[in-house]
Amino acid sequence: MRNISLPQRSQRTFWSPVKAHSAGAPAGFDRMGWARRFCGTGFLGSDIGKDYKLKSMDLPDARERMVTVQVAGRGVRDARVLAAMREVPRHRFVPEAMAGDAYQDRPLPIGEGQTISQPYMVAAMTAALAPGAADRVLEVGTGSGYQAAILARLAGSVVTIERHAALAARARATIDALGIANIRVVVGDGSNGYPDEAPYDRILVTAGAPAVPESLKAQLADGGRLVIPVGSEGLQHLIVVERRADAFTTSEGEGCVFVPLIGEHGWPASR
Ligand code: SAH
């Protein structure tokens, strides 16, 4: 594994984490229920809102509409998650030519055959993860860095690991350009987790795995929570694993479609 973190920049006040207003599971949010309607990084289609090419001056409005219609409108009620989605400029995490599409109700290509997840999916997974303000979080599958930026608004610190060095470098550049100081980007096989900084209060995997990797369970702190899509390459179910001492409880949601987790505890690279 190669750590490509650059020296941390001084933190802009803009990026001070959102203060926790409550602990534990978000009020009024059915952790698994969201998956029954919308899931996956793949485009499932939607008739909610029309997709327009936007000019840069329209982007804040588009972001507000994204949160109100696509996210809150579908039942994510966690105020901290909604605030983070309002604050993080998603258009900065997509290729420049696609900035005008960044607030559409779908995933977008980011290179290397990978995608930035649909906004609703990011919000719903974040709400399911329910990170606390001081939590140490591991994300597996950095991609564009957008999900990591959302997590960084809500948690104490985020380590995010990506197997494609080019995507990791681009994500790092975006994160630095926005002055986000509490994210560390690592290149490597995240199906092994990132033992160097374990244990983690929260682990979020944003690629589909054949099974819950034992390596990730082992890196969960006592009281920790892991959210991961598990299943075949074509269809997964969202799994939430919670750890109390050495006991693990697992709950399963509905079907989702994510790009594959490729690695030692994921799918083989040759597929
Ligand atoms: N969270 C991302 C989107 C995830 S797409 C965002 O906000 O943009 C899933 C990502 O997981 C892809 O970038 C893919 O390259 C990466 N990935 C797949 N297998 C991996 C592994 N074993 N370790 C680290 N990253 C992996």
Short mmCIF file of all heavy atoms in Angstrom, two decimals, residues 41 90 93 110-112 114-117 122 139-148 160-164 167 186 188-192 204 206-208 258-266, ligand 1:
data_model
loop_
_atom_site.label_atom_id
_atom_site.label_comp_id
_atom_site.label_asym_id
_atom_site.label_seq_id
_atom_site.Cartn_x
_atom_site.Cartn_y
_atom_site.Cartn_z
N THR A 41 -24.99 2.27 -7.39
CA THR A 41 -24.33 3.35 -8.12
C THR A 41 -24.85 3.40 -9.55
O THR A 41 -24.64 4.37 -10.24
CB THR A 41 -22.81 3.14 -8.15
OG1 THR A 41 -22.55 1.87 -8.71
CG2 THR A 41 -22.22 3.22 -6.76
N ARG A 90 -20.57 19.14 -5.00
CA ARG A 90 -20.43 17.89 -5.78
C ARG A 90 -19.84 18.13 -7.16
O ARG A 90 -19.10 17.29 -7.68
CB ARG A 90 -21.82 17.23 -5.88
CG ARG A 90 -21.84 15.90 -6.63
CD ARG A 90 -23.23 15.28 -6.51
NE ARG A 90 -23.46 14.25 -7.52
CZ ARG A 90 -23.26 12.94 -7.31
NH1 ARG A 90 -22.82 12.51 -6.15
NH2 ARG A 90 -23.51 12.06 -8.26
N PHE A 93 -16.21 17.42 -7.88
CA PHE A 93 -15.71 16.04 -7.82
C PHE A 93 -15.95 15.26 -9.11
O PHE A 93 -15.58 14.10 -9.19
CB PHE A 93 -16.35 15.30 -6.64
CG PHE A 93 -15.91 15.83 -5.30
CD1 PHE A 93 -16.53 16.93 -4.72
CD2 PHE A 93 -14.84 15.24 -4.63
CE1 PHE A 93 -16.12 17.43 -3.49
CE2 PHE A 93 -14.42 15.73 -3.40
CZ PHE A 93 -15.05 16.83 -2.83
N ILE A 110 -16.32 8.72 -13.79
CA ILE A 110 -15.20 9.53 -13.29
C ILE A 110 -13.85 9.03 -13.82
O ILE A 110 -12.80 9.45 -13.36
CB ILE A 110 -15.17 9.53 -11.74
CG1 ILE A 110 -15.14 8.10 -11.19
CG2 ILE A 110 -16.34 10.34 -11.18
CD1 ILE A 110 -14.88 8.01 -9.69
N GLY A 111 -13.90 8.10 -14.79
CA GLY A 111 -12.65 7.55 -15.33
C GLY A 111 -12.37 6.17 -14.75
O GLY A 111 -12.95 5.78 -13.74
N GLU A 112 -11.48 5.43 -15.42
CA GLU A 112 -11.07 4.08 -15.00
C GLU A 112 -12.28 3.14 -14.91
O GLU A 112 -12.26 2.16 -14.16
CB GLU A 112 -10.35 4.10 -13.64
CG GLU A 112 -9.23 5.11 -13.51
CD GLU A 112 -7.99 4.73 -14.32
OE1 GLU A 112 -7.85 3.56 -14.69
OE2 GLU A 112 -7.18 5.62 -14.59
N GLN A 114 -15.06 3.72 -13.52
CA GLN A 114 -15.71 3.86 -12.21
C GLN A 114 -16.71 5.02 -12.23
O GLN A 114 -16.74 5.80 -13.18
CB GLN A 114 -14.67 4.08 -11.12
CG GLN A 114 -13.56 3.04 -11.12
CD GLN A 114 -14.09 1.63 -10.95
OE1 GLN A 114 -15.03 1.38 -10.19
NE2 GLN A 114 -13.49 0.68 -11.68
N THR A 115 -17.52 5.12 -11.19
CA THR A 115 -18.54 6.17 -11.13
C THR A 115 -18.56 6.85 -9.77
O THR A 115 -18.20 6.24 -8.76
CB THR A 115 -19.96 5.58 -11.36
OG1 THR A 115 -20.18 4.52 -10.43
CG2 THR A 115 -20.13 5.06 -12.78
N ILE A 116 -18.99 8.09 -9.77
CA ILE A 116 -19.39 8.77 -8.52
C ILE A 116 -20.84 8.36 -8.31
O ILE A 116 -21.65 8.41 -9.24
CB ILE A 116 -19.22 10.30 -8.62
CG1 ILE A 116 -19.68 11.01 -7.35
CG2 ILE A 116 -19.94 10.88 -9.82
CD1 ILE A 116 -19.39 12.52 -7.34
N SER A 117 -21.17 7.91 -7.10
CA SER A 117 -22.50 7.36 -6.85
C SER A 117 -23.59 8.43 -6.97
O SER A 117 -23.33 9.62 -6.81
CB SER A 117 -22.57 6.74 -5.45
OG SER A 117 -21.57 5.77 -5.30
N VAL A 122 -25.41 8.24 -1.88
CA VAL A 122 -24.39 8.77 -0.95
C VAL A 122 -25.07 9.16 0.37
O VAL A 122 -24.60 8.81 1.45
CB VAL A 122 -23.67 9.98 -1.58
CG1 VAL A 122 -22.75 10.65 -0.56
CG2 VAL A 122 -22.88 9.55 -2.81
N GLU A 139 -13.21 4.68 4.60
CA GLU A 139 -14.00 4.45 3.40
C GLU A 139 -13.18 3.59 2.44
O GLU A 139 -12.01 3.90 2.19
CB GLU A 139 -14.36 5.75 2.69
CG GLU A 139 -15.24 5.49 1.45
CD GLU A 139 -15.24 6.61 0.41
OE1 GLU A 139 -14.34 7.46 0.42
OE2 GLU A 139 -16.16 6.61 -0.43
N VAL A 140 -13.79 2.55 1.90
CA VAL A 140 -13.13 1.72 0.89
C VAL A 140 -13.75 2.05 -0.46
O VAL A 140 -14.96 1.87 -0.65
CB VAL A 140 -13.28 0.22 1.21
CG1 VAL A 140 -12.64 -0.63 0.11
CG2 VAL A 140 -12.66 -0.10 2.56
N GLY A 141 -12.93 2.56 -1.38
CA GLY A 141 -13.44 2.98 -2.70
C GLY A 141 -13.57 4.49 -2.78
O GLY A 141 -14.67 5.04 -2.83
N THR A 142 -12.42 5.17 -2.82
CA THR A 142 -12.41 6.65 -2.82
C THR A 142 -13.12 7.22 -4.04
O THR A 142 -13.85 8.21 -3.92
CB THR A 142 -10.95 7.16 -2.84
OG1 THR A 142 -10.20 6.51 -1.83
CG2 THR A 142 -10.88 8.67 -2.68
N GLY A 143 -12.87 6.62 -5.21
CA GLY A 143 -13.45 7.13 -6.44
C GLY A 143 -13.12 8.60 -6.62
O GLY A 143 -11.95 8.99 -6.67
N SER A 144 -14.14 9.44 -6.68
CA SER A 144 -13.95 10.88 -6.87
C SER A 144 -13.53 11.60 -5.59
O SER A 144 -13.07 12.73 -5.63
CB SER A 144 -15.26 11.49 -7.35
OG SER A 144 -16.22 11.42 -6.30
N GLY A 145 -13.78 10.98 -4.43
CA GLY A 145 -13.53 11.65 -3.15
C GLY A 145 -14.76 12.33 -2.58
O GLY A 145 -14.73 12.85 -1.46
N TYR A 146 -15.87 12.30 -3.33
CA TYR A 146 -17.08 13.01 -2.87
C TYR A 146 -17.65 12.42 -1.58
O TYR A 146 -17.93 13.14 -0.62
CB TYR A 146 -18.13 13.00 -3.98
CG TYR A 146 -19.44 13.63 -3.58
CD1 TYR A 146 -19.55 15.00 -3.34
CD2 TYR A 146 -20.59 12.85 -3.42
CE1 TYR A 146 -20.75 15.57 -2.97
CE2 TYR A 146 -21.80 13.42 -3.06
CZ TYR A 146 -21.87 14.78 -2.83
OH TYR A 146 -23.06 15.33 -2.45
N GLN A 147 -17.81 11.09 -1.57
CA GLN A 147 -18.35 10.47 -0.36
C GLN A 147 -17.43 10.73 0.84
O GLN A 147 -17.90 10.99 1.94
CB GLN A 147 -18.50 8.95 -0.60
CG GLN A 147 -18.88 8.14 0.62
CD GLN A 147 -20.35 8.25 1.01
OE1 GLN A 147 -21.22 7.72 0.34
NE2 GLN A 147 -20.61 8.97 2.09
N ALA A 148 -16.14 10.70 0.60
CA ALA A 148 -15.18 10.98 1.69
C ALA A 148 -15.37 12.41 2.20
O ALA A 148 -15.29 12.66 3.41
CB ALA A 148 -13.75 10.78 1.19
N THR A 160 -9.46 7.15 3.43
CA THR A 160 -10.16 6.57 2.29
C THR A 160 -9.15 5.89 1.40
O THR A 160 -8.06 6.42 1.15
CB THR A 160 -11.00 7.62 1.54
OG1 THR A 160 -11.66 6.99 0.44
CG2 THR A 160 -10.18 8.79 1.01
N ILE A 161 -9.48 4.68 0.94
CA ILE A 161 -8.52 3.87 0.19
C ILE A 161 -9.07 3.52 -1.18
O ILE A 161 -10.24 3.16 -1.31
CB ILE A 161 -8.10 2.62 1.02
CG1 ILE A 161 -7.05 1.79 0.29
CG2 ILE A 161 -9.28 1.76 1.44
CD1 ILE A 161 -6.31 0.81 1.20
N GLU A 162 -8.22 3.65 -2.20
CA GLU A 162 -8.63 3.46 -3.59
C GLU A 162 -7.56 2.63 -4.30
O GLU A 162 -6.37 2.86 -4.14
CB GLU A 162 -8.78 4.83 -4.26
CG GLU A 162 -8.94 4.83 -5.76
CD GLU A 162 -10.16 4.04 -6.25
OE1 GLU A 162 -11.28 4.27 -5.76
OE2 GLU A 162 -9.96 3.16 -7.13
N ARG A 163 -8.01 1.65 -5.13
CA ARG A 163 -7.04 0.80 -5.81
C ARG A 163 -6.47 1.44 -7.06
O ARG A 163 -5.38 1.08 -7.50
CB ARG A 163 -7.63 -0.58 -6.12
CG ARG A 163 -8.79 -0.59 -7.08
CD ARG A 163 -9.38 -1.98 -7.20
NE ARG A 163 -8.53 -2.90 -7.94
CZ ARG A 163 -8.57 -3.06 -9.27
NH1 ARG A 163 -9.42 -2.35 -10.00
NH2 ARG A 163 -7.78 -3.92 -9.86
N HIS A 164 -7.18 2.39 -7.66
CA HIS A 164 -6.66 3.09 -8.85
C HIS A 164 -5.90 4.33 -8.42
O HIS A 164 -6.50 5.31 -7.94
CB HIS A 164 -7.81 3.51 -9.77
CG HIS A 164 -8.42 2.38 -10.54
ND1 HIS A 164 -7.74 1.70 -11.53
CD2 HIS A 164 -9.63 1.81 -10.46
CE1 HIS A 164 -8.51 0.76 -12.02
NE2 HIS A 164 -9.67 0.80 -11.39
N LEU A 167 -7.21 7.71 -9.81
CA LEU A 167 -8.41 8.25 -9.15
C LEU A 167 -8.05 8.82 -7.78
O LEU A 167 -8.54 9.89 -7.39
CB LEU A 167 -9.47 7.15 -9.00
CG LEU A 167 -10.13 6.64 -10.29
CD1 LEU A 167 -11.19 5.59 -9.96
CD2 LEU A 167 -10.75 7.79 -11.09
N VAL A 186 -5.35 6.98 0.58
CA VAL A 186 -4.35 5.92 0.50
C VAL A 186 -4.61 5.12 -0.77
O VAL A 186 -5.77 4.92 -1.15
CB VAL A 186 -4.50 4.99 1.74
CG1 VAL A 186 -3.57 3.79 1.64
CG2 VAL A 186 -4.25 5.77 3.02
N GLY A 188 -4.33 1.47 -2.45
CA GLY A 188 -4.11 0.08 -2.08
C GLY A 188 -5.38 -0.73 -2.20
O GLY A 188 -6.41 -0.23 -2.68
N ASP A 189 -5.30 -1.97 -1.77
CA ASP A 189 -6.44 -2.88 -1.79
C ASP A 189 -7.23 -2.73 -0.49
O ASP A 189 -6.86 -3.29 0.53
CB ASP A 189 -5.96 -4.32 -1.97
CG ASP A 189 -7.11 -5.32 -1.94
OD1 ASP A 189 -8.28 -4.89 -1.85
OD2 ASP A 189 -6.83 -6.54 -2.01
N GLY A 190 -8.31 -1.99 -0.55
CA GLY A 190 -9.12 -1.73 0.63
C GLY A 190 -9.95 -2.91 1.08
O GLY A 190 -10.58 -2.84 2.13
N SER A 191 -9.96 -4.00 0.28
CA SER A 191 -10.67 -5.19 0.77
C SER A 191 -9.95 -5.77 1.99
O SER A 191 -10.51 -6.55 2.74
CB SER A 191 -10.85 -6.24 -0.33
OG SER A 191 -9.63 -6.90 -0.62
N ASN A 192 -8.70 -5.38 2.17
CA ASN A 192 -7.94 -5.73 3.38
C ASN A 192 -8.10 -4.66 4.46
O ASN A 192 -7.42 -4.73 5.49
CB ASN A 192 -6.44 -5.85 3.06
CG ASN A 192 -6.15 -7.02 2.15
OD1 ASN A 192 -6.69 -8.10 2.36
ND2 ASN A 192 -5.32 -6.81 1.14
N LEU A 204 -17.17 2.29 5.70
CA LEU A 204 -18.13 2.33 4.60
C LEU A 204 -17.44 1.80 3.35
O LEU A 204 -16.39 2.31 2.95
CB LEU A 204 -18.62 3.76 4.35
CG LEU A 204 -19.57 3.96 3.18
CD1 LEU A 204 -20.86 3.17 3.38
CD2 LEU A 204 -19.89 5.44 2.98
N THR A 206 -17.86 1.32 -0.66
CA THR A 206 -18.71 1.85 -1.74
C THR A 206 -18.53 1.06 -3.03
O THR A 206 -18.71 1.58 -4.12
CB THR A 206 -18.44 3.36 -1.97
OG1 THR A 206 -17.07 3.53 -2.36
CG2 THR A 206 -18.71 4.16 -0.73
N ALA A 207 -18.17 -0.22 -2.90
CA ALA A 207 -18.10 -1.15 -4.03
C ALA A 207 -18.67 -2.48 -3.55
O ALA A 207 -18.60 -2.80 -2.36
CB ALA A 207 -16.66 -1.30 -4.51
N GLY A 208 -19.22 -3.26 -4.50
CA GLY A 208 -19.93 -4.48 -4.13
C GLY A 208 -18.97 -5.65 -3.87
O GLY A 208 -18.09 -5.94 -4.68
N PHE A 258 -23.66 -2.01 -7.29
CA PHE A 258 -22.44 -1.20 -7.18
C PHE A 258 -21.38 -1.78 -8.10
O PHE A 258 -21.43 -2.96 -8.47
CB PHE A 258 -21.90 -1.23 -5.74
CG PHE A 258 -22.66 -0.34 -4.79
CD1 PHE A 258 -23.86 -0.76 -4.24
CD2 PHE A 258 -22.18 0.91 -4.45
CE1 PHE A 258 -24.57 0.06 -3.37
CE2 PHE A 258 -22.87 1.73 -3.59
CZ PHE A 258 -24.07 1.31 -3.04
N VAL A 259 -20.39 -0.96 -8.44
CA VAL A 259 -19.23 -1.49 -9.15
C VAL A 259 -18.52 -2.48 -8.21
O VAL A 259 -18.64 -2.37 -7.00
CB VAL A 259 -18.25 -0.37 -9.61
CG1 VAL A 259 -18.92 0.56 -10.60
CG2 VAL A 259 -17.70 0.40 -8.43
N PRO A 260 -17.81 -3.47 -8.77
CA PRO A 260 -17.24 -4.52 -7.91
C PRO A 260 -16.07 -4.06 -7.04
O PRO A 260 -15.26 -3.24 -7.46
CB PRO A 260 -16.78 -5.59 -8.91
CG PRO A 260 -16.66 -4.91 -10.22
CD PRO A 260 -17.60 -3.74 -10.21
N LEU A 261 -16.03 -4.62 -5.84
CA LEU A 261 -14.85 -4.50 -4.98
C LEU A 261 -13.85 -5.53 -5.49
O LEU A 261 -14.13 -6.73 -5.48
CB LEU A 261 -15.22 -4.81 -3.53
CG LEU A 261 -14.09 -4.73 -2.52
CD1 LEU A 261 -13.75 -3.27 -2.21
CD2 LEU A 261 -14.43 -5.48 -1.23
N ILE A 262 -12.72 -5.05 -5.97
CA ILE A 262 -11.73 -5.94 -6.58
C ILE A 262 -10.52 -6.03 -5.67
O ILE A 262 -9.91 -5.01 -5.34
CB ILE A 262 -11.34 -5.43 -7.99
CG1 ILE A 262 -12.57 -5.56 -8.91
CG2 ILE A 262 -10.16 -6.22 -8.54
CD1 ILE A 262 -12.40 -4.93 -10.26
N GLY A 263 -10.19 -7.26 -5.25
CA GLY A 263 -9.03 -7.41 -4.37
C GLY A 263 -9.05 -8.73 -3.64
O GLY A 263 -9.90 -9.59 -3.89
N GLU A 264 -8.14 -8.84 -2.70
CA GLU A 264 -7.93 -10.10 -1.99
C GLU A 264 -9.21 -10.62 -1.33
O GLU A 264 -9.49 -11.81 -1.36
CB GLU A 264 -6.83 -9.90 -0.95
CG GLU A 264 -6.29 -11.20 -0.40
CD GLU A 264 -5.13 -10.97 0.56
OE1 GLU A 264 -4.46 -9.91 0.49
OE2 GLU A 264 -4.90 -11.88 1.39
N HIS A 265 -9.99 -9.73 -0.72
CA HIS A 265 -11.26 -10.14 -0.10
C HIS A 265 -12.45 -9.66 -0.91
O HIS A 265 -13.54 -9.48 -0.38
CB HIS A 265 -11.33 -9.64 1.34
CG HIS A 265 -10.30 -10.28 2.22
ND1 HIS A 265 -9.08 -9.70 2.48
CD2 HIS A 265 -10.30 -11.47 2.86
CE1 HIS A 265 -8.38 -10.50 3.27
NE2 HIS A 265 -9.09 -11.59 3.51
N GLY A 266 -12.21 -9.42 -2.20
CA GLY A 266 -13.29 -9.01 -3.10
C GLY A 266 -13.30 -9.95 -4.30
O GLY A 266 -13.06 -11.14 -4.16
N1 SAH B 1 -17.13 6.60 -3.14
C1 SAH B 1 -16.86 7.00 -4.50
C2 SAH B 1 -17.53 6.15 -5.55
C3 SAH B 1 -17.20 4.70 -5.44
S1 SAH B 1 -17.06 3.80 -6.95
C4 SAH B 1 -17.21 8.46 -4.76
O1 SAH B 1 -17.72 9.13 -3.85
O2 SAH B 1 -16.94 8.95 -5.86
C5 SAH B 1 -16.15 2.45 -6.20
C6 SAH B 1 -14.66 2.67 -6.12
O3 SAH B 1 -14.10 1.56 -5.45
C7 SAH B 1 -13.98 2.74 -7.48
O4 SAH B 1 -13.23 3.91 -7.59
C8 SAH B 1 -13.08 1.51 -7.49
O5 SAH B 1 -11.86 1.70 -8.18
C9 SAH B 1 -12.83 1.31 -6.01
N2 SAH B 1 -12.41 -0.02 -5.60
C10 SAH B 1 -12.83 -1.22 -6.05
N3 SAH B 1 -12.20 -2.21 -5.39
C11 SAH B 1 -11.37 -1.62 -4.49
C12 SAH B 1 -10.46 -2.11 -3.49
N4 SAH B 1 -10.27 -3.40 -3.27
N5 SAH B 1 -9.79 -1.19 -2.75
C13 SAH B 1 -9.96 0.12 -2.95
N6 SAH B 1 -10.80 0.63 -3.87
C14 SAH B 1 -11.50 -0.22 -4.63
#
